[in-house]
């Protein structure tokens, strides 16, 4: 059987983005326009112009570290070959690595790449800050550590080791100088740093690196009062976290770190924050981890709890009148390219003013989010190019005001509102998606199902093409306050809905199917099943330009049901099997009494429904419907476990 489908395995699409605070490999020949998500190609001819209301400028969207050629862009989303991928960050050779602990304390590098290999035994040669209560002593002081007033201030770049336990003492980095003066490394070596202020405060530095020494356990805990400090320009400010940096901050190593933010946030950086590895636990009254400029996580184990705020956040944007007006190039982004991350949030799990990217690199990305707000929310884009993502949210599990690209990876969501929501467009390209429960499973002004494997269960609409400007099209436009479109061209998709006045496949504008597999079910009583708005006996071609050829006796109604569009549903290819008694659109329809113990369809495509009923809507390459013997057929299991059989 020719299904015209994308390949069954998830598409391995990868976007390489630059490390938040490290120099990136760049391509000077890349045209700035190539950095934008490409516009819709074939689909745009059918649907017209893009969703209005948001304008992209060269400064509003930037994706660092990506080399794109014209041949690498095919349709919506990104298609990037291995040859076009540029790995971010400098290449470090063995000769360029400086091992701390040499004979020249203070002149060694504050950063290196040996955190996972070197346990860094203290041998008496390091600059060592030994904490004790409200004070500290310094061994091998090079004249760059000043101890006074319950604080130790580091004034020169280099490597500084911290051990011992304090009750009210802070470590301050203040290394003013020219850019690229060198990194300031703070090596935590079984250190417990407690302070009524921010225990680790970076006032000024080119870049500060917090190293979690292998085999060590470290604690950073602040007090719950105001964290006042004087900036380098003499102005007064308040640090808002237990670990607070005004400049670039990296955290890495093979040790353990527990951060308790009793005042507001756990870890906060005003510029770019990068977490490379480590075993890190953060508990905060408000936001757990915040990189205002950007936040990149590339490895490690992170367990974060934000009691009243967001788990992970990056919120830098152009402000006007105290509100975010537009994004800043390369800022307001959260990038996850590895690590095992667990988030519990009193507000949103992951929030970005620009975009969120989930990727796999050397280490797989595993993300589990539980939130009372939204699970993952970005102003413009969400890219899922890999990883295993599990989101449980009281609000939308995934939400953007622009676009969502589901290119690869495994995603499971449970939501009390929308499973995945995009104000503009949602692209299903290669991800395996399981919407366990949601009010509306997938919702966007435009939904393009081009590949991937999805299963959706909803208590309202399964897939909802809605939003955007009001479109007075179709003979029932009076019932719609907005337009919306759904196009299915590839992939394997199962959608079910249960409840009163539910629509399984709902487009407030039009629907179109040219390929792929689409299985629809009403899995319980709905308003339509109970007799409301039933104009039974319509059969045949349905409404708004659907294919004719129905067997008659099937019911259609204005209230919706299996397929509900305002401007018509068109099918020219693929496989459509829809189980339920009512629909506004009837490509073809057979009055076949079905149960949940047998497969129904044709000899080349069949599905075992989870409920029972009296009518099956079908179309595309399925030209007749009956009970089917599936012996010799292949099985494809949707993420929820139900099976589609095919030849």
């Amino acid at each position: 059987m020719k299904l015209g489908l994308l390949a069954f395995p998830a598409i391995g699409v990868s976007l390489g983005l630059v490390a938040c605070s490290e120099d990136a490999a760049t391509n000077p020949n890349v045209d700035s326009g190539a950095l934008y998500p490409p516009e819709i190609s074939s689909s745009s001819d059918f649907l017209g112009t893009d969703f209005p209301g948001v304008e992209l400028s060269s400064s509003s969207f930037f994706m660092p570290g990506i080399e794109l050629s014209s041949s690498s862009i095919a349709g919506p989303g990104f298609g990037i070959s291995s040859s076009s991928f540029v790995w971010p960050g400098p290449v470090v050779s063995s000769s360029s690595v400086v091992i701390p602990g040499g004979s020249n304390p203070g002149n060694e590098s504050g950063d290196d790449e040996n955190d996972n290999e070197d346990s860094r035994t203290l041998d008496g040669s390091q600059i060592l800050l030994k904490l004790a209560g409200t004070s500290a002593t310094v061994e091998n002081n090079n004249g760059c550590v000043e101890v006074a007033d319950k604080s130790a201030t580091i004034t020169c770049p280099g490597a500084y080791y911290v051990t011992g336990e304090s009750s009210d003492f802070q470590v301050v980095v203040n290394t003013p100088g020219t850019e690229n003066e060198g990194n300031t490394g703070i090596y935590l070596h079984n250190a417990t740093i407690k302070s009524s202020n921010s225990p680790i405060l970076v006032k000024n530095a080119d870049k500060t690196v917090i190293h979690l020494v292998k085999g060590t356990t470290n604690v950073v805990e602040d007090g719950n009062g105001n964290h006042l400090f004087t900036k380098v320009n003499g102005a007064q400010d308040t640090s808002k976290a237990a670990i607070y940096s005004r400049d670039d901050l990296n955290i890495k190593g093979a040790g353990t770190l527990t951060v308790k933010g009793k005042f507001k946030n756990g870890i906060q950086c005003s510029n770019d924050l990068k977490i490379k590895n480590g075993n890190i636990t953060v508990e905060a009254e408000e936001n757990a981890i915040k990189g205002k400029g950007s936040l990149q996580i590339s490895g490690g184990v992170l367990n974060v709890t934000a009691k009243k705020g967001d788990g992970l956040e990056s919120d830098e944007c152009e402000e006007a009148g105290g509100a975010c007006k537009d994004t800043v190039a390369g800022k307001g982004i959260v990038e996850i390219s590895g690590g095992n991350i667990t988030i519990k949030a009193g507000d949103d799990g992951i929030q970005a003013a620009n975009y969120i990217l989930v990727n796999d690199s050397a280490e797989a990305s595993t993300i589990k989010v539980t939130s009372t707000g939204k699970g993952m929310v970005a102003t413009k884009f969400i890219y899922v190019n890999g990883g295993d993502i599990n989101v449980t949210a009281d609000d939308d599990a995934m939400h953007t005001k622009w676009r969502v690209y589901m290119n690869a990876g495994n995603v499971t969501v449970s939501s009390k509102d929308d499973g995945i929501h995009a104000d503009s467009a949602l692209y299903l390209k290669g991800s395996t998606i399981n919407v366990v429960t949601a009010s509306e499973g997938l919702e966007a002004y435009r939904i393009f199902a081009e590949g991937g494997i999805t299963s959706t269960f909803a208590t309202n609409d399964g897939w909802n093409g809605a939003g955007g400007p009001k479109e007075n099209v179709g003979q029932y436009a009076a019932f719609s306050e907005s337009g919306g479109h759904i196009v299915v061209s590839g992939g394997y998709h199962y959608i079910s809905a249960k409840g009163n006045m539910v629509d399984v496949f709902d487009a407030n504008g039009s629907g179109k199917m040219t390929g792929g597999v689409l299985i629809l079910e009403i899995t319980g009583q709905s308003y339509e099943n109970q007799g409301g708005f039933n104009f039974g006996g319509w059969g045949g071609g349905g409404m708004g330009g659907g294919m004719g050829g129905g067997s008659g006796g099937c019911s259609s109604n204005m209230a919706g049901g299996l397929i509900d569009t305002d401007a018509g549903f068109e099918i020219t290819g693929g496989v459509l099997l829809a189980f339920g008694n009512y629909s506004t659109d009837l490509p073809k329809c057979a009055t076949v009494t079905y149960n949940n113990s047998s497969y129904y369809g044709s000899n080349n495509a069949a599905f075992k429904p989870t409920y029972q009923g009296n009518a099956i809507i079908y179309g595309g390459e399925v030209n007749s419907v009956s009970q089917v013997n599936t012996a010799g057929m292949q099985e494809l299991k949707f993420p929820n476990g139900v099976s589609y059989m095919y030849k």
Side-chain angles (χ1 to χ4, degrees):
M1 180 182 70
K2 297 180 180 179
L3 295 178
L5 306 177
L6 294 181
F8 170 78
I11 300 173
V13 180
S14 180
L15 296 179
L17 297 185
V18 69
C20 289
S21 58
E22 296 187 352
D23 296 333
T26 59
N27 178 13
N29 297 318
V30 175
D31 181 77
S32 59
L35 298 177
Y36 296 86
E39 295 297 321
I40 303 161
S41 55
S42 60
S43 301
S44 64
D45 296 332
F46 170 65
L47 297 173
T49 60
D50 208 345
F51 180 68
V54 181
E55 296 183 0
L56 294 178
S57 64
S58 59
S59 62
S60 65
F61 180 73
F62 180 68
M63 301 202 62
I66 302 176
E67 180 179 337
L68 297 177
S69 64
S70 59
S71 61
S72 68
I73 300 176
F78 291 94
I80 301 177
S81 66
S82 59
S83 62
S84 66
F85 178 75
V86 179
W87 183 250
V91 177
V92 180
S93 65
S94 58
S95 61
S96 66
V97 175
V98 179
I99 306 296
S103 59
N104 192 11
N107 291 327
E108 62 194 42
S109 173
D111 195 8
D112 60 79
E113 298 297 327
N114 287 326
D115 292 289
N116 288 320
E117 304 297 333
D118 189 357
S119 60
R120 307 185 199 282
T121 301
L122 298 176
D123 59 10
S125 66
Q126 298 90 354
I127 302 174
L128 178 62
L129 184 65
K130 300 177 70 173
L131 308 175
T134 60
S135 188
T137 59
V138 184
E139 295 182 359
N140 299 315
N141 195 342
N142 62 346
C144 296
V145 183
E146 302 173 358
V147 178
D149 300 326
K150 299 182 180 180
S151 67
T153 301
I154 298 170
T155 59
C156 308
Y160 302 86
Y161 289 70
V162 182
T163 191
E165 181 175 350
S166 71
S167 57
D168 190 7
F169 192 87
Q170 67 176 164
V171 177
V172 179
V173 177
N174 186 17
T175 58
T178 62
E179 188 175 355
N180 299 319
E181 64 180 357
N183 300 325
T184 300
I186 299 176
Y187 291 81
L188 300 183
H189 201 293
N190 292 318
T192 297
I193 314 174
K194 297 181 180 181
S195 175
S196 57
N197 213 305
S198 293
I200 297 179
L201 172 64
V202 180
K203 289 185 178 181
N204 190 12
D206 183 21
K207 180 174 71 177
T208 301
V209 184
I210 296 177
H211 298 261
L212 312 177
V213 178
K214 183 179 181 179
T216 68
T217 299
N218 307 279
V219 177
V220 176
E221 179 180 328
D222 67 358
N224 58 10
N226 287 332
H227 295 0
L228 299 175
F229 73 98
T230 302
K231 297 191 293 184
V232 293
N233 62 5
Q236 293 295 310
D237 202 352
T238 301
S239 61
K240 303 174 180 63
I243 298 177
Y244 185 78
S245 177
R246 291 184 54 80
D247 294 304
D248 293 348
L249 176 67
N250 286 10
I251 301 174
K252 60 185 184 178
T256 298
L257 173 65
T258 298
V259 179
K260 297 182 179 181
K262 296 182 176 181
F263 175 46
K264 289 186 177 181
N265 302 333
I267 303 172
Q268 180 171 341
C269 175
S270 296
N271 286 340
D272 300 324
L273 172 61
K274 178 183 177 182
I275 299 175
K276 181 178 179 180
N277 42 32
N279 190 331
I280 301 172
T281 299
V282 181
E283 300 175 3
E285 289 297 314
E286 296 185 8
N287 303 319
I289 302 176
K290 177 177 179 178
K292 184 176 181 61
S294 63
L295 170 62
Q296 183 189 10
I297 300 171
S298 57
V301 177
L302 279 74
N303 291 280
V304 303
T305 300
K307 295 180 181 179
K308 302 176 184 177
D310 304 330
L312 308 178
E313 181 182 89
S314 181
D315 65 353
E316 184 166 335
C317 62
E318 293 182 0
E319 295 185 359
C324 183
K325 179 182 178 181
D326 200 358
T327 56
V328 180
K331 300 295 183 180
I333 60 179
V334 176
E335 303 170 359
I336 299 172
S337 58
N340 191 327
I341 304 169
T342 302
I343 301 170
K344 296 180 180 179
D347 196 359
D348 301 329
I350 304 175
Q351 185 186 96
N354 192 340
Y355 69 83
I356 297 171
L357 169 79
V358 180
N359 214 19
D360 287 329
S361 59
E363 183 177 344
S365 299
T366 302
I367 304 169
K368 183 178 181 180
V369 176
T370 304
S371 66
T372 60
K374 293 178 174 62
M376 300 170 64
V377 55
T379 300
K380 289 193 172 178
F381 305 99
I382 292 177
Y383 302 94
V384 178
N385 297 332
D388 290 301
I389 302 172
N390 191 310
V391 179
T392 301
D394 288 354
D395 204 327
D396 297 350
M398 292 183 175
H399 181 102
T400 74
K401 295 182 179 180
W402 191 241
R403 296 177 180 174
V404 176
Y405 294 86
M406 306 299 295
N407 295 322
N410 301 303
V411 178
T412 301
V413 301
S414 299
S415 170
K416 295 180 181 178
D417 201 345
D418 298 344
I420 302 176
H421 176 100
D423 282 359
S424 177
L426 167 61
Y427 298 93
L428 306 175
K429 298 180 68 68
S431 299
T432 298
I433 302 170
N434 185 16
V435 181
V436 178
T437 184
S439 176
E440 294 189 334
L442 307 182
E443 182 177 58
Y445 177 52
R446 298 173 178 172
I447 299 175
F448 299 102
E450 302 173 357
I453 306 168
T454 73
S455 63
T456 303
F457 174 80
T459 56
N460 194 342
D461 297 335
W463 286 14
N464 188 24
K470 182 176 180 178
E471 292 187 357
N472 293 315
V473 296
Q475 54 186 312
Y476 292 101
F479 293 92
S480 177
E481 290 298 321
S482 60
H485 311 276
I486 302 176
V487 181
V488 180
S489 59
Y492 304 81
H493 311 286
Y494 169 81
I495 315 171
S496 66
K498 180 178 181 179
N500 294 332
M501 293 294 293
V502 299
D503 297 324
V504 181
F505 183 101
D506 183 18
N508 290 1
S510 58
K512 183 177 182 180
M513 185 173 184
T514 62
V517 172
L518 185 61
I519 310 294
L520 310 177
E521 278 196 293
I522 294 179
T523 55
Q525 294 292 316
S526 69
Y527 188 98
E528 290 80 14
N529 299 89
Q530 298 175 38
F533 293 120
N534 178 17
F535 296 86
W538 285 10
M543 299 161 24
M547 289 179 63
S551 62
C554 294
S555 298
S556 180
N557 68 8
M558 292 170 57
L562 286 168
I563 303 174
D564 183 11
T565 71
D566 291 347
F569 179 86
E570 178 185 0
I571 178 169
T572 59
V575 171
L576 169 66
L577 292 171
F579 299 82
N581 297 336
Y582 301 97
S583 180
T584 65
D585 304 83
L586 300 175
K588 294 181 180 179
C589 184
T591 54
V592 176
T593 300
Y594 61 87
N595 55 51
N596 59 1
S597 60
S598 301
Y599 284 89
Y600 299 87
S602 68
N603 291 329
N604 292 324
F607 178 77
K608 181 191 293 185
T610 62
Y611 207 65
Q612 58 189 27
N614 300 313
I616 302 175
I617 297 174
Y618 61 96
E621 297 185 23
V622 178
N623 296 314
S624 64
V625 168
S626 61
Q627 186 172 328
V628 176
N629 183 351
T630 59
M633 300 178 75
Q634 300 183 67
E635 182 181 26
L636 183 149
K637 282 193 175 183
F638 292 102
N640 64 348
V642 299
S643 295
Y644 166 69
M645 307 297 293
Y646 67 97
K647 286 185 177 177

